[in-house]
Structure formats: C-alpha cells, structure tokens
Amino acid sequence: MTAAVRLGVILLCHAELEVAARMARIWAEGGAHVVIHVDLNVPEARMSPMRTALADLDNVVYSRRHRCAWGRFSLVRATQDAAQHLLAAFPDTTHVYLASGACLPLRPVAELTAYLAADPQRDHIESVSAHEVGWTVGGLNEERFTLYYPLDWRRHRWLFDRFVEWQRRLNVRRRVPRGLSPHLGSQWWCLTTATLQSILNDPRRAEFDRYFRLSWIPDESYFQTLARRHSVTIESQSLTLAKFDHKGRPYQLYDDHIRMLEESRCFVARKAWPRAANLLSHFPLPAGAVPDPSPPQPARIERLINRTVRRRVLGRPGLYMQSRFPRKDAENGKTSAPYAVFQGFSDVFPDFEQWLSGRLSGDVHGHLLGPEQVEFAGRPQVGPGAISANPVLRDHDAQGFLTALIRITPRMQVFQFSPRDNQVLNWFIATDPNAHLLVITGAWMLPLLHSGMPFDDIRRVTAQLQRAELAQLEVLNSVWVKARVQIHDLSDFLARPLALLDEAVRQVQPTVDPIDALPRMRDLTGLDELLRKLRNAGLRPRLTGDGLRLPEQPDNERTAAE
Amino acid sequence: MMRLSNIPLPERLRRRAERQWLIGRAANRRRALRSVIDRTGQILPDDILTFVTQRNERIRLPYFLDYYREMGVRHFLFVDNASDDGSTDYLREQPDVSLWWTDASYKRARFGMDWINWLLLRYGRHHWCLTVDPDEFLIYPHCDSRPLPALTDWLDASGRRSFPAMLLDMYPRGGIEDEPYAEGQDPFQIARWFDPANYSISKNQYFGNLWIQGGPRTRAFFTYDPLTGPALNKIPLVRWNWRYAYVSSTHMLLPRSLNEVYDEDGGEMASGCLLHAKFLSTFAEKSTEELDRRQHYANSKEYRAYHAGLQTGTRLWCSESREYQGWRQLEDLGLISRGNWA
C-alpha cells in the first residue's frame, strides 16, 4: 500500500542549521526525498557542517538559494524553486510536504506515508476563505489582498504602517486576478504532485506571481489560494501542528511537552526549542512493525495553547499581581467570586454577624473596612491569606485587600458595612457584578440612640454619617451600577423586618432555610423623639424614611404571633 | 537625584538626565573596585550572567552558586564588600566567578548599585543579566523542566527585554534560630513557608513600575508603621544595554519602558519570584552586625525593626502561612504567572 506513496519534503531553513540537519536526516532515513533550501542570508561558511553531516544521504539535495524576508514573496519563490527541483530530481515523488528546519517529525515517516496512502488523491492544506474573518491573529486579514505591500515590515516598520494607512485613506483596492478567490491558511502543507505540478505549470502563473508579489505574507496565501483552483479534494487542515500566540508568534515546544505531543498523534510539530535535547531525541517515535495510519488528534494540545492565550489576553478575574495590574474598568472581572455586603443590618440587630454566620455557608465577617480594626470573622490578628488586621495596611491598598481576600478564600465572603467605615471602595463594589449589596439606609442612627453622648455630639456625628451615606447612595443610584443592590430605608425595613430580612438573606444564598424568627433587635424607644430633636436643631434626617412608625417591641410580637 | 528633582523639567527629560547621571556615577565609582580575579574573558556571546554584591555570606555561597549554575547561568560577577569570613578566598577559587573587592561604603554606593551598574555597563551588554543577592533564588514558570536559557530565548522571541520577579520572603515554621543552617544545604528545607495573599500594590507614575509591599516582614516587624515596610517588586533579569541603569536596588530601572512588565488591559504577562532565604539561623547575627555598620536603606530601619522583633521572640509563622510546593502552587495563588509561555 505504501508503495503507492513516495514522499518528498521541502525543508526551508534560515537558522539553527544543526537542528535542521538533524531533521533532514530523520526525513531522509524515513524514506523521503529531501530538498533543502537555505536562506541566502546564511553565510556559505555556516552551511558546510550541514553538507558534511548529510553527505552520506543520496536522497538529499539543495535547491537554489534565495534571500528570504519574512512576509515577502521571496519565501514563495524559494518554495516554488525547491518544489521544481524536487520533482525534477525525484520524478517518482507522489506527495510533497513543506516543512521548516525547526519542524519536528513526531511520528515515524512510514506512518505519515501510510496515512497519506489511505486517500492518495487528497491535498492536506489549510485553506480558509479570506472573506471569513478570524483566521489571522494580530494582523491584516482581507486587506492582505486588496492593498499593495512593496515594503519590508521588519526593516521599514514605520513606513510600512504609514503606507497602509495612506492606501486606506485613498480607498485603494487591488483587483484580485479573475478566477481566484483569496484563501488563507497555515504555510505548512502537504500537496499531491499532481496538484503541485498544476500550480507550478499554470499557464497564468506569471500573472498570479505578479499579483502575489505585492500582497502581504503570500506564504500563507499563495498555495492556499491556488490549491482551491487546482485541487480535487482538499482536507483543510495542516498536518503540521503550528500554533501562534495572540501576536502571531509561533509557540515553542520544550521537554515537558513530550507527553502531550505523544498523545496528540500529530505527524509534525512546530517549533521545537533548539536546545530541548530530550524533546529532539525523543521524537520521532520508533516505528512499529505495522505503520499506524491513525489521524492526528491535536485537540488537547490546542486546548492547552488556547488556554494560555486566554490567560495572556484576559487573565484570571480578580487577580492583581506583579504582572497583571489592570487599569480601572479593564479588569475582566473586578473580583474572582461573588460576595455580599450587609449595610445597616448590624445596627438594627446587634448580634447580626453571629446570627448570619449560623445560616450562610460563607465566611461572615464584621466590618472589614471598619476604622479601628479589620474585623475578620473570629477577630484574629491575621486573617485569611495572612492578611493583617491592621487598618492602616488595609487602607493603603483597600481594593487589593478586598480582591486578595476574595481570591484566597474558598468560601463566599460576607461582611458588614456602614457609613462609619472606609468609603473608598464604594464605586468599586457598586460596579462589580460579583457584589450583592443589601442596604438599610439610616440604620446607623440606632447605635447613637442609647449611646449616652451629649446631644451636640450626636448632632455632629449624625451630620457626618448622613453626608457619607448620601454620597454612597449617589453611587448606588447611578447608571453604572453592576452589583445586585437592594436598598430599603429604615422605616420601610422596620415596617416588615422579617420579610425583608428573609429576602435579603435569600438573595445572597437562595438555598438557605426560611427565616422564622428575627434576631435580637436594638431597643428603638426614643427614636422618633431623637429625630424630632435633630430636625428642630436644624438637621433634617433624610435617610430614615418618612413617617417612621415604630412597632411596639417587634421581637416579642413576632414570636408571640407564632 | 536629590538635586535634579528640584529642577523643573518635563518628566521625560528629567528621567533621561537621571539615567545619564546614574550611568556617569557608576562609571565614576568604578575606581572603588579592585579586581581580585578577572575571568570575564571566558564569557561567550549569549551567556547568561549573574551580578551579585556580597558581604560575609560564605556559608550561603556554595548552594547559591550551584543553584544558578544548574539553572543555566554561565558566569558570576561578584563585588565583595570587605568580607572577613573567607568568602573572598572561596569565590576566588570558583572557575566561573570574576571577583572585585572594595571597602568603600555600601551606603554611599547607593547600596551597592553603583558598583553593579558599572559591571553591567562594562560586561553585561547584549547578555541576559540576572542581578540578585546571595539570599535570593529565582523561580519562574516551568523552572522544574526548562532551564533559564529557554526563558531568555522565549523573552527574546517575544520582544521583551526585562522579566519581573517579586521578592517572596520565606521563613521556617518554628523560631528563626531553631534549626541551624549548614553550608551547602537547600535553605528552603528550613525556611519553607510564605505569606500567600497579603501584598499591596500601587503604581509609581514617574518610573512606571509597580510598588509591592506586604508579606511577613510588614505583618510582623512593621505593624506600627506599615507603610515604610520593604518593597518587594523586583526586575532582576534584563537583556542589558549600556544605556540602562538600575535606579533603586533592582526595584526599578531606567529607561522607564523596562519597568512595564505588567499588563494593564486585564491580561497576564509572564513573571517569576525571587524566593528570599533571609530568615535562617544566620539572620540574628547578621542583623546585629548590620545594625552596627548602619549601612542599609533608611538608616537600617528594617534591621532595627527585625532586631527588636527577634529579641522579643517573634515568629513569622502564622496559621495562614503556606508551605512551598513549587512554581505551580505560586501560579495558582497568583503570585507568578506563565503569561503566554505555554
């Protein structure tokens, strides 16, 4: 069966000739004809070790050398010449594989020929229509074909960009030669000799070459486009595993990829780090008695690479560290997990923290942003993640404090908040979709009620806290809010505390048991008297709600009702 | 720098003037260095070089040298600041060490950075240069399977010129004095605990670097004045050019673009860690000595704080400390990142 397939390999080399010579030997000893193209930029002196290393192999030849520049037509020219040279020197060739000196054959060459023999008419070349957006990474797509590119991007980067801009402004649109539909794809392909011959001997080849000479990165489009014109059946997937990062640079392969490359069953991978000694000596895998023609399954390694691209581009949500410090609103997730902020509840119910921690499955803290201390659950001096309870440290980078706490703890974080606490995170929390914000406005007044402070002090503190809470409400009522916010004023809440408390707890954790009894409530006697006094002292209480109707001993009433 | 900061100049020009001043100062201070042994002729193109200032670190040196040799460092350039514990002789005998000796003031050489800047300028050009202290051990993603040249080749291919590695203070579980450190021993067999998540970050707009503070030192020694705690951000690995200069320790460099080792659009760039093996049994002795010399940053405030802390028997370990398990653990915790180095 394999007798039907005679593989020829074009090896494009421009650096690391030592590795390239090794690869040529692998191909040649596997029974393939090899033609090597070495970039003319490499001095002749550096080629002689390669020539001597491969001198004993009679199926290795060298094609005419061209000076190649990345992204230019010279690469296509080199490939064309090498292909012609190969077909002339070894007329029995049935398939031609284009590889580079850094492409590492993973499986024995015999398995590749067996795979090709299963359907010998098929061309393996990735070829995606240029009109479908999305094949290219970090570069031009359709404009590769509609603008002129006479300049070398590497050497005249600034001029190149200006020239592209200028053409865009002038609405320059090159006409694609009639009968061609621009296609893009990986530059590494495997074509049948028939297809390759008809591409090389196309009567209109001069016209096509002229067109592609001024298009951008023709090595990713010349054969990909012309194969569509001449091929009978195209398998639009490259047999070479070559992944690019978000900037279009190829990934390197190292010793620790050996296992995964083995599992991928790919025939050829690109590109191996030249000093990855274990990797280079491990592959190609030794040939079995019967060549295994199973197709490649690169899904797993592609997933790994896509995951790292995602990590590079999007990062892990809620992480702030030495190499990820997103500017405001570019965070891709301000925090890493949902959390809840209860404001005013601990003023209405003095034991609210203990009561809540018995019900929710998360960590219930006190006032994490409180002025005297970071009130971690249980009040340790060092909280989760070894975060200090020192408020000066916390306020130095409050956002870092909160995000680190949420990221380091496996459970949901719940904490108390009030206008007495540090207010710097108001915008951050309000614009964070992970936040649940449950607010009773004006509740901060209740601890003042029986504080025993002189009335003048109460009036002053009230003014301060009211100002702080009004500023916060301005944030919470803005159009930028992303958090789930529930706001009640104190009189609303006191009118039906059980229902609203149940609703609040349920919003944070829907699976929680229904609440049938209120926790101990603060004594409210004298509240309307205090409010009246404040009003008469020239301070209008604006957050407690209007017409405060105080339930008589609400705690007892509820329990009695049941 | 003090004088320059008073002149009203556009920031760019000021940074340029500062950089040139630093380079000139480094060139000027080269006279303080006396060559003990110069093996720099052995350095080949593309070798990775390590630059170290040391004083009386004899007991740490064997492990330090072996650690970086195995990683792929090809040559060490040491400045010895008047050691008297035999480390000069030890270093002189190492085949891959070039050694300079000085008894000039460490403090007046901007904590040794003038000397290092000079050696970098003279020998570091076009090499990847790692500038570390003898108690700092580089960890980077995949460091268990890929040598340092793999990282530097990849950085080259990605067009990057500098690589950040935050300082991670390591400490033992018991008291710092409890388990004596023996020469040649892996210090992280003893000091194998660290703080996972208590680091605060702010951005320095002028130099463009991140300012990271926190960790056990701030938590335990600087509780009363936490904002003066030591900085942990470092950029130790740079592909050097003679125009570059370290500004303050290895915390930041000029030109400014070398400090931009973090992504501000939400992505993660590759980064590593310098494991800091400071808190070993050798520490108390060292802190007494350094206190007497008064040669350290901010009037040795750090050492005074440590000393006071250690006298009262402070332990750095707390129930939230994590035991070091390798780079993957650090990556999961978000202290380092592989970025797009798959």
Side-chain angles (χ1 to χ4, degrees):
Chain A
M1 190 171 71
T2 45
V5 170
R6 286 295 286 165
L7 187 66
V9 176
I10 300 171
L11 217 53
L12 301 178
C13 314
H14 63 93
E16 304 286 351
L17 294 188
E18 220 170 291
V19 178
R22 256 173 99 159
M23 297 305 139
R25 177 165 290 277
I26 292 172
W27 287 111
E29 285 179 349
H33 306 307
V34 180
V35 57
I36 298 178
H37 173 269
V38 182
D39 192 336
L40 198 56
N41 291 317
V42 178
E44 187 67 32
R46 279 182 49 205
M47 271 193 71
S48 46
M50 184 183 203
R51 285 186 197 275
T52 43
L54 299 173
D56 59 318
L57 298 165
D58 53 2
N59 53 350
V60 176
V61 293
Y62 299 85
S63 72
R64 198 184 133 208
R65 295 173 64 190
H66 292 270
R67 196 175 294 279
C68 296
W70 181 83
R72 309 300 306 277
F73 192 72
S74 48
L75 271 168
V76 177
R77 171 75 71 219
T79 313
Q80 287 172 332
D81 274 9
Q84 268 161 344
H85 194 102
L86 178 75
L87 297 177
F90 309 105
D92 61 335
T93 308
T94 61
H95 288 76
V96 178
Y97 201 114
L98 178 64
S100 84
C103 290
L104 175 67
L106 301 181
R107 289 165 67 180
V109 181
E111 290 191 5
L112 176 57
T113 42
Y115 174 74
L116 294 174
D119 189 355
Q121 304 306 318
R122 194 177 285 268
D123 293 302
H124 298 268
I125 180 166
E126 188 184 20
S127 168
V128 183
S129 169
H131 303 301
E132 315 288 336
V133 188
W135 182 81
T136 53
V137 187
L140 307 159
N141 200 35
E142 220 180 324
E143 284 182 329
R144 289 178 178 212
F145 299 98
T146 58
L147 303 181
Y148 293 90
Y149 298 91
L151 295 162
D152 187 321
W153 184 73
R154 290 242 160 122
R155 258 184 290 166
H156 310 289
R157 202 169 292 199
W158 184 85
L159 218 54
F160 181 97
D161 290 341
R162 293 297 86 71
F163 194 60
V164 169
E165 270 173 29
W166 179 72
Q167 292 183 77
R168 278 181 190 152
R169 212 166 329 132
L170 292 182
N171 266 328
V172 172
R173 277 194 80 82
R174 289 183 80 187
R175 186 161 305 174
V176 182
R178 197 144 17 94
L180 288 193
S181 143
H183 277 68
L184 293 163
S186 161
Q187 67 180 112
W188 315 110
W189 41 252
C190 177
L191 295 174
T192 60
T193 304
T195 307
L196 190 58
Q197 289 280 17
S198 45
I199 290 176
L200 293 174
N201 301 329
D202 193 304
R204 288 171 65 199
R205 180 175 151 187
E207 180 194 347
F208 297 152
D209 285 6
R210 215 162 38 239
Y211 169 76
F212 278 103
R213 191 167 297 133
L214 291 181
S215 74
W216 181 229
I217 318 188
D219 48 324
E220 287 178 346
S221 57
Y222 181 84
F223 290 96
Q224 289 72 6
T225 302
L226 291 173
R228 286 282 166 194
R229 182 176 161 85
H230 295 288
S231 171
V232 185
T233 45
I234 282 187
E235 178 72 35
S236 180
Q237 191 174 20
S238 173
L239 292 177
T240 301
L241 176 78
K243 292 292 283 183
F244 294 92
D245 67 5
H246 65 297
K247 291 234 175 99
R249 294 194 190 93
Y251 269 103
Q252 300 225 342
L253 302 170
Y254 300 91
D255 289 350
D256 47 316
H257 291 129
I258 288 178
R259 270 270 306 288
M260 210 168 336
L261 288 171
E262 257 175 25
E263 282 171 24
S264 78
R265 310 290 303 147
C266 286
F267 291 108
V268 180
R270 196 180 140 79
K271 73 193 232 180
W273 182 51
R275 284 188 263 179
N278 288 345
L279 179 74
L280 293 177
S281 60
H282 187 83
F283 292 111
L285 298 170
V290 182
D292 166 21
S294 62
Q297 288 148 355
R300 180 146 173 258
I301 194 157
E302 281 181 355
R303 210 164 42 237
L304 167 94
I305 289 174
N306 292 341
R307 207 164 51 219
T308 37
V309 169
R310 217 166 34 244
R311 172 158 297 186
R312 174 65 189 83
V313 178
L314 298 173
R316 289 169 277 182
L319 175 65
Y320 300 79
M321 47 101 72
Q322 53 172 337
S323 56
R324 180 183 203 260
F325 195 63
R327 66 173 72 85
K328 185 172 158 294
D329 297 326
E331 294 99 340
N332 297 320
K334 288 176 186 261
T335 49
S336 57
Y339 59 100
V341 185
F342 283 89
Q343 175 170 346
F345 287 75
S346 59
D347 295 329
V348 180
F349 310 107
D351 308 323
F352 185 68
E353 192 186 334
Q354 286 78 15
W355 178 84
L356 193 63
S357 62
R359 293 183 173 258
L360 294 182
S361 61
D363 296 331
V364 180
H365 303 285
H367 290 262
L368 283 184
L369 297 169
E372 296 93 15
Q373 196 204 344
V374 181
E375 297 181 356
F376 289 117
R379 304 291 181 272
Q381 275 307 303
V382 176
I387 299 172
S388 168
N390 187 328
V392 183
L393 269 178
R394 173 201 65 201
D395 293 344
H396 180 49
D397 180 12
Q399 182 183 323
F401 160 83
L402 183 64
T403 52
L405 176 71
I406 292 169
R407 201 168 176 277
I408 196 70
T409 43
R411 305 208 301 170
M412 185 177 184
Q413 302 297 299
V414 180
F415 63 95
Q416 318 301 324
F417 191 66
S418 88
R420 291 180 293 274
D421 299 347
N422 190 339
Q423 303 286 309
V424 288
L425 288 180
N426 283 351
W427 270 113
F428 181 79
I429 293 175
T431 51
D432 180 8
N434 276 330
H436 293 270
L437 203 53
L438 306 137
V439 184
I440 307 175
T441 63
W444 42 267
M445 188 163 273
L446 299 184
L448 294 175
L449 192 54
H450 299 289
S451 62
M453 282 199 294
F455 178 72
D456 277 355
D457 290 348
I458 291 186
R459 187 191 175 285
R460 209 181 57 245
V461 171
T462 306
Q464 269 174 14
L465 296 180
Q466 175 157 290
R467 210 176 308 126
E469 196 164 65
L470 283 170
Q472 187 204 4
L473 285 179
E474 209 166 289
V475 172
L476 294 183
N477 291 326
S478 79
V479 295
W480 310 108
V481 173
K482 295 258 170 55
R484 266 159 289 183
V485 185
Q486 211 182 78
I487 305 177
H488 297 286
D489 60 34
L490 182 61
S491 55
D492 269 359
F493 186 82
L494 292 179
R496 42 191 195 107
L498 190 65
L500 290 179
L501 181 63
D502 187 57
E503 193 184 318
V505 174
R506 216 162 263 286
Q507 193 195 324
V508 175
Q509 191 179 323
T511 54
V512 79
D513 294 334
I515 293 166
D516 42 23
L518 285 173
R520 183 175 69 84
M521 214 184 229
R522 208 178 276 274
D523 182 12
L524 301 175
T525 46
L527 180 58
D528 42 0
E529 172 65 16
L530 178 66
L531 291 176
R532 196 176 55 79
K533 265 173 90 179
L534 284 170
R535 201 177 303 118
N536 293 342
L539 183 82
R540 188 161 65 92
R542 289 163 62 187
L543 294 160
T544 44
D546 343 295
L548 191 67
R549 293 176 304 278
L550 297 176
E552 295 261 341
Q553 294 291 328
D555 210 352
N556 300 344
E557 195 180 66
R558 289 284 165 186
T559 35
E562 282 142 16
Chain B
M1 245 182 329
M2 305 306 143
R3 281 157 295 152
L4 282 170
S5 60
N6 298 331
I7 306 170
L9 275 176
E11 283 200 345
R12 262 185 83 157
L13 286 179
R14 216 171 99 192
R15 278 192 296 263
R16 165 177 287 240
E18 244 169 75
R19 179 165 58 82
Q20 288 169 341
W21 180 77
L22 286 168
I23 293 172
R25 184 179 163 123
N28 189 277
R29 296 295 158 102
R30 74 182 186 275
R31 272 165 271 182
L33 299 177
R34 204 189 75 210
S35 172
V36 176
I37 182 132
D38 186 350
R39 295 193 184 91
T40 50
Q42 295 174 9
I43 299 175
L44 300 176
D46 295 335
D47 277 357
I48 297 175
L49 313 179
T50 294
F51 295 79
V52 194
T53 313
Q54 74 99 26
R55 175 186 167 82
N56 290 345
E57 303 276 12
R58 171 71 183 82
I59 192 169
R60 291 173 177 277
L61 290 174
Y63 184 81
F64 173 84
L65 291 171
D66 286 344
Y67 182 87
Y68 284 110
R69 275 176 194 143
E70 197 177 325
M71 191 174 270
V73 170
R74 302 301 295 273
H75 202 87
F76 296 86
L77 295 96
F78 269 88
V79 175
D80 178 25
N81 188 196
S83 296
D84 52 15
D85 67 342
S87 45
T88 320
D89 295 328
Y90 177 79
L91 287 171
R92 196 207 311 260
E93 267 137 46
Q94 302 302 311
D96 50 359
V97 168
S98 295
L99 178 64
W100 286 263
W101 183 91
T102 181
D103 59 358
S105 162
Y106 180 70
K107 190 173 176 179
R108 283 173 57 193
R110 296 191 314 113
F111 312 102
M113 280 332 280
D114 285 338
W115 307 327
I116 294 293
N117 269 338
W118 165 249
L119 293 182
L120 283 164
L121 170 70
R122 176 74 181 74
Y123 301 102
R125 268 184 275 177
H126 309 310
H127 290 277
W128 278 96
C129 298
L130 182 68
T131 307
V132 288
D133 286 344
D135 55 2
E136 294 171 352
F137 296 87
L138 181 68
I139 291 286
Y140 52 87
H142 308 289
C143 60
D144 50 358
S145 56
R146 303 179 196 172
L148 195 56
L151 175 66
T152 55
D153 280 1
W154 177 78
L155 291 169
D156 271 332
S158 317
R160 285 183 60 184
R161 297 172 296 167
S162 54
F163 182 78
M166 177 183 136
L167 200 61
L168 190 66
D169 289 321
M170 308 290 287
Y171 44 85
R173 165 138 199 179
I176 290 170
E177 302 282 309
D178 287 359
E179 202 176 329
Y181 175 71
E183 184 179 323
Q185 190 187 5
D186 177 358
F188 305 115
Q189 285 173 348
I190 302 169
R192 49 184 306 104
W193 297 80
F194 64 94
D195 282 10
N198 55 3
Y199 301 96
S200 67
I201 309 177
S202 58
K203 185 178 165 179
N204 179 334
Q205 296 293 345
Y206 181 67
F207 286 109
N209 64 313
L210 297 183
W211 194 254
I212 305 178
Q213 288 174 298
R217 284 190 270 176
T218 300
R219 171 167 62 80
F221 296 139
F222 288 84
T223 35
Y224 296 105
D225 194 4
L227 302 188
T228 57
L232 304 176
N233 52 299
K234 291 217 166 192
I235 304 178
L237 187 61
V238 179
R239 186 170 188 110
W240 204 262
N241 181 299
W242 66 273
R243 290 184 177 89
Y244 300 168
Y246 276 117
V247 177
S248 147
S249 176
T250 50
H251 297 312
M252 52 206 178
L253 293 116
L254 280 172
R256 190 179 195 263
S257 57
L258 294 172
N259 296 328
E260 284 159 10
V261 289
Y262 52 94
D263 194 324
E264 289 195 291
D265 297 320
E268 287 176 34
M269 283 163 77
S271 55
C273 247
L274 287 174
L275 300 188
H276 198 198
K278 189 172 198 156
F279 302 106
L280 292 175
S281 54
T282 54
F283 180 70
E285 194 188 322
K286 190 97 185 157
S287 72
T288 317
E289 183 196 321
E290 297 302 334
L291 262 182
D292 293 343
R293 288 177 63 227
R294 296 176 185 280
Q295 286 283 299
H296 280 270
Y297 182 67
N299 290 324
S300 309
K301 196 168 191 168
E302 275 188 50
Y303 279 106
R304 262 186 282 162
Y306 302 146
H307 205 65
L310 289 170
Q311 296 295 311
T312 54
T314 307
R315 290 185 177 201
L316 291 171
W317 192 86
C318 70
S319 58
E320 291 292 336
S321 301
R322 299 285 168 96
E323 189 171 9
Y324 178 68
Q325 283 155 1
W327 68 269
R328 280 170 206 280
Q329 176 200 24
L330 298 185
E331 198 193 19
D332 288 343
L333 288 170
L335 292 168
I336 69 174
S337 174
R338 74 180 77 181
N340 55 333
W341 197 32

